[in-house]
Amino acid sequence: MNFVWNGPMIAFYVLALSVLGAGILMLSVRKVVYMALSIGGVFIGAAGIYILLGAEFVAVAQILIYVGAITILMMFAIMLTNHKAEEEPFRWTVRNATAAVGSVLLALVLLAVIRSTTWPVQSANLNLNGGNSNPVAIGLVMFKQYAFPFELVSLVLIVGLVGAVILAQERKEEE
Amino acid sequence: MFQYWNDYFFVVLFLLLGIFLPVAAIWVLGPLLRPKHPTVAKNTPYESGVEPVGDAHVRYNARYYLFALMFVVFDVETLFLYPWAASFHQLGLFALTEMLMFILMLVIGLAYAWRKKVLEWS
């Protein structure tokens, strides 16, 4: 491994540290509201890493959907149910110890797999005519090659909408 | 690729400036400039207002959840509009009908919610 200290490298380490930090914060705070907020921090850091990888559209999607909508949804779900729930302080029990050993083993296995996998090198002649623009390239592929799957997405969304309506109606009848 | 990252260098610069300015104004410059004579009345959440009652963390009405879910659905729709608009010049009419169908489906969903009267508050 040869480290080169250039801008992107530093940015990667800053972002990776902030993602890990927010993740650890999420596990260590005891109030559910704070947990949901620190998950938002993880999402923002992940968006930064996507930008670093050149996937600008995915990064914007991450911020729009995950930071903007999913985190809000989680906050709503928490505020609707037991918003004052707090976890017990951490204690070393047999169950927690086995969970810790299992997590460390899983991390080691994942690390070994990642290190031994040969990653495909990006081919120079990618067949995208979007030029430098990420959304244009995605749009050209999505609305030409994958026109039908795109229409199916609207079906999935409408299912979510109808489900929400039915949920709300049941509530209304209860009142 | 380096050109790409250089562009984002300015984004980072603006981000840092955006964090620095309010922090400097509120925590550094503000306390130096403003007089500080706090009284009990000044420290209430609403000065010359109504005394707050109870806890701010109340349990919300479950029907707000519908609006959160609908917000997610239409957020996803907005996301798809973006690459469509960016590549519209090269796609033409076919993409327009495609997107109109997509939006029509979601409008049907919205109309369904409207008809079922879940958007109304009694």
Side-chain angles (χ1 to χ4, degrees):
Chain A
M1 288 286 270
N2 47 340
F3 278 111
V4 190
W5 282 105
N6 48 22
M9 206 57 163
I10 295 166
F12 170 75
Y13 279 110
V14 169
L15 286 170
L17 268 180
S18 66
V19 168
L20 283 177
I24 289 168
L25 192 71
M26 189 241 142
L27 290 174
S28 55
V29 292
R30 297 282 158 224
K31 285 188 177 169
V32 275
V33 177
Y34 296 159
M35 283 182 192
L37 283 178
S38 37
I39 276 199
V42 176
F43 289 152
I44 292 174
I49 288 178
Y50 291 146
I51 285 180
L52 210 61
L53 291 169
E56 286 163 302
F57 181 70
V58 182
V60 173
Q62 172 87 6
I63 288 178
L64 199 70
I65 305 294
Y66 279 88
V67 182
I70 302 286
T71 313
I72 299 290
L73 200 67
M74 277 196 284
M75 285 303 278
F76 263 84
I78 288 166
M79 292 310 284
L80 291 173
T81 51
N82 50 347
H83 56 281
K84 282 192 184 136
E86 273 183 52
E87 254 183 40
E88 297 283 307
F90 184 79
R91 254 180 287 114
W92 278 108
T93 56
V94 179
R95 197 176 133 193
N96 280 343
T98 31
V101 171
S103 320
V104 169
L105 281 179
L106 178 68
L108 286 178
V109 168
L110 284 177
L111 195 68
V113 170
I114 289 169
R115 299 285 306 223
S116 62
T117 310
T118 46
W119 301 98
V121 181
Q122 190 189 29
S123 54
N125 51 348
L126 262 178
N127 235 347
L128 298 172
N129 351 312
N132 257 338
S133 171
N134 233 304
V136 173
I138 288 173
L140 286 179
V141 174
M142 188 188 281
F143 295 104
K144 270 187 181 160
Q145 255 170 288
Y146 297 99
F148 187 62
F150 168 71
E151 294 298 334
L152 287 184
V153 166
S154 70
L155 218 64
V156 174
L157 289 178
I158 215 171
V159 166
L161 208 61
V162 170
V165 168
I166 286 169
L167 259 177
Q169 260 195 325
E170 277 176 4
R171 284 278 160 197
K172 217 175 172 187
E173 278 158 20
E174 274 171 30
E175 278 166 15
Chain B
M1 202 65 190
F2 259 100
Q3 183 57 47
Y4 167 79
W5 282 323
N6 281 346
D7 288 347
Y8 275 98
F9 179 68
F10 290 102
V11 176
V12 173
L13 220 59
F14 271 97
L15 202 70
L16 291 178
L17 205 66
I19 294 169
F20 167 78
L21 281 180
V23 167
I26 293 170
W27 280 305
V28 181
L29 217 58
L32 289 176
L33 292 177
R34 63 169 177 246
K36 189 167 186 277
H37 306 293
T39 61
V40 180
K42 275 184 191 169
N43 282 334
T44 52
Y46 301 103
E47 203 185 335
S48 345
V50 184
E51 289 285 317
V53 178
D55 193 6
H57 288 209
V58 290
R59 185 172 292 188
Y60 290 1
N61 190 328
R63 288 181 57 202
Y64 282 116
Y65 197 66
L66 168 76
F67 292 91
L69 273 173
M70 286 183 74
F71 170 61
V72 174
V73 168
F74 286 101
D75 214 26
V76 174
E77 187 200 347
T78 319
L79 185 73
F80 282 114
L81 279 171
Y82 185 52
W84 172 79
S87 59
F88 186 69
H89 261 302
Q90 296 168 58
L91 285 168
L93 269 180
F94 178 63
L96 180 67
T97 46
E98 236 179 296
M99 185 47 84
L100 281 179
M101 267 170 68
F102 183 77
I103 291 174
L104 186 74
M105 289 289 272
L106 285 167
V107 168
I108 290 172
L110 187 63
Y112 174 76
W114 204 327
R115 275 297 298 274
K116 290 283 174 182
K117 292 195 165 63
V118 288
L119 299 178
E120 285 165 31
W121 291 78
S122 46

